[in-house]
Amino acid sequence: MLRFLRWRLLQLGPVLLGVSILVFFGMHLIPGDVAQLLLGDKGTDADLQRMRHQLGLDQPVYIQYFRFLGGALQGDFGESIRTRQPVIWEIAQALPVTVQLSLAALAFALVAGLSIGVLAARFPHSALDTGSMVGVLVGVSMPVFWTGILLLLVFGGILGWLPLGGVLDGTLAVRRITGAPLLDGVLTGRWPIVWSAGRHLVLPAVALGATAMAAIARMARSSMLDVLGLDFIRTARAKGLAERRVVSRHALRNALLPVVTLVGLQLGLLLSGAVLTETIFALPGLGRLAITSVLARDYPVVQGVVLIAAAVFVVANLAVDVLYVYLDPRVRYQ
Amino acid sequence: MCFTSIWILGSGISEMATDAVAVGVPRRRVAALSWRRLFSHSSFVVGAAIVAGVIAAALFAPLVTSYNPIEQSFRDQLLQPSRGHLFGTDEFGRDIFARVVYGARIALIVGVVADGLAAVLGVVLGVLSGYFGRRVDAVLMRTVDVLLAFPYLLLAMIVVAILGPSLINAMIAIGIVYTPQFARLVRGVVLQIKEEDFVEAARAEGAGSLRILGRHILPNILSPIIVMATLTVGYMIVETAGLSFLGLGASPPTPEWGSMLATGRSFMLTAPWIATFPGLAILVTVVGFNLIGDGLRDLLDPRLRGR
């Protein structure tokens, strides 16, 4: 296990280095001069030269890259053109919101997806099975931005059960510990905040998790059907175990393996979907920061956000791989 | 009845994509597929019917609706769905049904262009990597690893930021985002085919690399590419619509489903039909493509048949 982990960690370095090269040179291809953008229309030519020198833009590109890399390794991504705040500060504000949203969406997707998949597999070809599989087909095909709008319309607008956006009621303020309002509410023991943050989280999490839920349900159903047909399940039944126990203790654990791989694949979709979900629900997360910065041509922020998002994604995928090895001892020997 | 066989490696996009993160290498399987079997598969038939409907709407849009999708009529602002305006009108009095129907043209063009780009780039990279191997393979596959390390929409956003926001650039961005998947698939097939006896025989006869690639390798990778392209086209349509929704794709007054949804969002509580119908159009189109993809996958993976 340790050898596997070390080997995967070693692979991480070159990939992240590649990501940094791609992001840095990609940003260099964008027309426009960061110094000019920072100065606005006011600066003279001399100011521009000074600013370019200050930012190191008069240096050769490869030196600029190494300076960028050196800074990035210490968490220094420069300053936002739009807000003049350090990029890392902007990211630190936004990241917890996105992590909270993604984890809530993943939790919803796993719980709902596994339940639907297992139930459908327990009663194959029943009305329940057919109905849930039609639902799954619709679920994987629905664009997350449309799901979000419909949920808002029905539960926020027509029924008025849940808030229309944001992370907390305007009247509430929470002391910032982690930056994720729900967790901060729990940590400070203020239950009105937990309640409000939870209510604000439901619709975005369901919208973001819907596609992953459908994919997980489909995978869980088919892998459960595979496992339920195997000999050891027949043995378990033959020795008189209750069906419930056969499913939950014997079949489910084995059926989980393909689901874990699928969750790894869904992580990328979740992070991408977060951009759209945060836009619809007005959540101040990493995705919204990314899109606002792209539209405002705030390149230092785009650079930082993309690098951090890629790092989070790669590390999350590593975690999934490790979980996979933990769940399936056979993989270790390959 | 035509009996053209489609040869495919693996059992569809999920397995191919799984390769990217799975620890063990999944067993690849070669299966044959005929048009007769495809057309006796219910998912495939329903999907094909839906997609045919969308294509027909796109081709015959002027016959389907008499309204102009971009003509504004301030007397008809925000009208509810009615017999005169089946899907209602938007804030500029434009007929939403007409915009949805003409939007099918854009969605299909997006699908074909983005998919085509990803397939062409993927074939070039995959063939170079798989056929020439060694250093070329190492460099290209590490580049693919790096591209796969980005959440796809962020990568697309960078590409759009570099090229500038427009529908064409959004298609290019989505095409680039999907290139690694195609490249991996093609590389895998090429690695397998280049060890086959007929390639060995051609080489023994003194055929050069170009001839082997053109005569023996390329014809054999065409079918898996077509299947992969069918499986990805729906997602490409959704993702390009997503970029337009964020303001990085089509610009007004283009009748593009994603940007129509973005406008509809502002009128969600007062005129929900503006956002409802373009979203429904995306859903139906993508369901169609996914059903075709599911049909292909079921037929290629006998374990799943009939479930």
Side-chain angles (χ1 to χ4, degrees):
Chain A
M1 185 69 171
L2 266 178
R3 225 176 68 191
F4 167 75
L5 198 64
R6 205 161 46 212
W7 177 67
R8 286 292 277 115
L9 276 172
L10 273 177
Q11 279 184 321
L12 219 91
V15 168
L16 285 177
L17 197 68
V19 169
S20 75
I21 292 174
L22 206 74
V23 171
F24 179 81
F25 289 97
M27 290 296 127
H28 260 259
L29 289 175
I30 296 176
D33 186 336
V34 177
Q36 184 75 61
L37 284 169
L38 271 169
L39 274 174
D41 300 331
K42 294 167 288 188
T44 61
D45 276 354
D47 290 338
L48 188 65
Q49 288 307 324
R50 204 174 316 121
M51 182 66 93
R52 287 180 61 82
H53 181 71
Q54 204 180 325
L55 294 172
L57 294 175
D58 51 356
Q59 305 266 359
V61 180
Y62 69 93
I63 294 190
Q64 289 185 45
Y65 169 72
F66 284 117
R67 282 178 58 157
F68 162 73
L69 190 67
L73 285 173
Q74 296 166 45
D76 176 13
F77 293 98
E79 191 180 274
S80 158
I81 295 172
R82 200 166 44 91
T83 61
R84 301 295 160 111
Q85 297 282 358
V87 171
I88 194 70
W89 184 84
E90 299 252 357
I91 293 174
Q93 297 293 309
L95 187 63
V97 175
T98 304
V99 170
Q100 174 181 285
L101 171 65
S102 304
L103 288 180
L106 192 61
F108 163 72
L110 274 174
V111 172
L114 281 177
S115 313
I116 294 173
V118 169
L119 268 180
R122 283 270 280 111
F123 308 102
H125 306 297
S126 65
L128 178 86
D129 183 26
T130 315
S132 53
M133 285 309 110
V134 171
V136 159
L137 176 69
V138 173
V140 290
S141 309
M142 265 178 80
V144 56
F145 43 101
W146 192 52
T147 317
I149 291 177
L150 288 185
L151 286 174
L152 264 182
L153 174 65
V154 175
F155 295 98
I158 299 173
L159 299 171
W161 291 350
L162 291 162
L164 285 169
V167 287
L168 267 184
D169 288 331
T171 49
L172 293 170
V174 62
R175 188 159 64 86
R176 192 186 160 85
I177 300 172
T178 62
L182 190 69
L183 192 58
D184 286 351
V186 174
L187 290 176
T188 50
R190 294 185 54 195
W191 302 114
I193 287 184
V194 176
W195 172 246
S196 169
R199 275 166 47 85
H200 280 81
L201 193 57
V202 174
L203 291 183
V206 171
L208 180 57
T211 314
M213 178 205 72
I216 289 172
R218 175 145 73 179
M219 182 60 90
R221 174 183 176 274
S222 91
S223 100
M224 204 58 187
L225 279 176
D226 273 350
V227 173
L228 285 174
L230 294 180
D231 288 345
F232 74 94
I233 295 293
R234 203 173 47 203
T235 312
R237 282 183 182 141
K239 72 181 184 187
L241 281 186
E243 186 64 20
R244 207 193 168 110
R245 202 174 157 86
V246 172
V247 170
S248 63
R249 296 294 286 273
H250 293 249
L252 191 60
R253 179 169 171 152
N254 286 285
L256 272 180
L257 291 170
V259 176
V260 172
T261 309
L262 185 72
V263 167
L265 289 173
Q266 293 292 328
L267 286 175
L269 292 176
L270 277 181
L271 281 173
S272 297
V275 179
L276 292 155
T277 314
E278 287 168 9
T279 304
I280 294 164
F281 292 93
L283 305 177
L286 209 56
R288 192 144 162 250
L289 181 63
I291 186 68
T292 321
S293 313
V294 166
L295 290 173
R297 301 179 14 135
D298 192 349
Y299 305 129
V301 180
V302 178
Q303 211 162 254
V305 168
V306 171
L307 211 55
I308 294 285
V312 169
F313 182 44
V314 171
V315 172
N317 262 322
L318 173 72
V320 170
D321 278 3
V322 171
L323 183 65
Y324 194 88
V325 174
Y326 171 75
L327 283 173
D328 189 355
R330 286 171 302 181
V331 179
R332 280 175 228 173
Y333 303 107
Q334 282 177 3
Chain B
M1 171 70 73
C2 173
F3 277 107
T4 318
S5 283
I6 300 172
W7 289 87
I8 176 148
L9 203 81
S11 60
I13 185 172
S14 61
E15 185 175 321
M16 288 177 291
T18 305
D19 288 358
V21 292
V23 182
V25 180
R27 187 167 56 92
R28 291 191 178 276
R29 179 177 43 256
V30 179
L33 194 66
S34 71
W35 291 116
R36 177 185 277 179
R37 276 179 60 207
L38 273 179
F39 280 101
S40 59
H41 189 283
S42 55
S43 303
F44 183 86
V45 172
V46 174
I50 293 175
V51 171
V54 176
I55 293 174
L59 283 177
F60 305 112
L63 300 175
V64 178
T65 171
S66 54
Y67 287 103
N68 180 329
I70 53 173
E71 197 173 38
Q72 304 186 356
S73 164
F74 286 96
R75 277 184 315 163
D76 299 326
Q77 281 172 324
L78 302 174
L79 292 179
Q80 281 192 10
S82 65
R83 197 172 287 174
H85 297 281
L86 273 182
F87 292 174
T89 60
D90 65 9
E91 77 279 22
F92 295 114
R94 295 175 298 206
D95 183 67
I96 292 179
F97 181 69
R99 289 177 68 72
V100 168
V101 170
Y102 279 91
R105 288 185 171 181
I106 294 176
L108 291 175
I109 291 172
V110 161
V112 171
V113 172
D115 225 2
L117 182 71
V120 170
L121 288 177
V123 166
V124 172
L125 294 180
V127 165
L128 285 177
S129 203
Y131 188 77
F132 294 104
R134 294 176 181 237
R135 282 192 193 152
V136 181
D137 185 34
V139 170
L140 289 178
M141 282 304 115
R142 291 303 78 75
T143 313
V144 163
D145 284 346
V146 168
L147 286 175
L148 286 170
F150 286 93
Y152 74 86
L153 199 60
L154 281 179
L155 183 58
M157 280 164 61
I158 300 181
V159 177
V160 175
I162 294 170
L163 301 174
S166 78
L167 184 59
I168 291 180
N169 293 342
M171 290 187 233
I172 295 175
I174 296 297
I176 291 175
V177 167
Y178 272 85
T179 299
Q181 292 191 30
F182 279 87
R184 280 194 172 212
L185 168 75
V186 172
R187 174 178 176 270
V189 186
V190 171
L191 278 178
Q192 206 178 40
I193 294 175
K194 81 173 184 181
E195 301 302 329
E196 296 280 346
D197 289 344
F198 59 88
V199 176
E200 199 74 7
R203 202 172 286 137
E205 276 179 2
S209 288
L210 268 182
R211 190 179 160 83
I212 293 177
L213 281 174
R215 289 287 295 272
H216 301 287
I217 307 243
L218 279 180
N220 279 298
I221 57 174
L222 210 57
S223 299
I225 285 289
I226 292 170
V227 176
M228 173 96 169
T230 317
L231 288 160
T232 49
V233 67
Y235 296 107
M236 292 194 178
I237 291 174
V238 170
E239 280 146 29
T240 313
L243 283 177
S244 292
F245 180 80
L246 292 170
L248 295 173
S251 48
T254 315
E256 199 274 341
W257 293 339
S259 57
M260 287 169 75
L261 270 170
T263 321
R265 204 181 125 228
S266 323
F267 294 91
M268 192 182 61
L269 297 178
T270 49
W273 54 87
I274 302 183
T276 307
F277 292 108
L280 203 58
I282 299 179
L283 175 65
V284 169
T285 310
V286 178
V287 164
F289 280 112
N290 283 351
L291 281 172
I292 293 181
D294 283 356
L296 287 174
R297 196 167 28 212
D298 280 1
L299 289 166
L300 295 167
D301 190 345
R303 287 178 313 152
L304 298 173
R305 205 171 298 153
R307 285 193 183 168

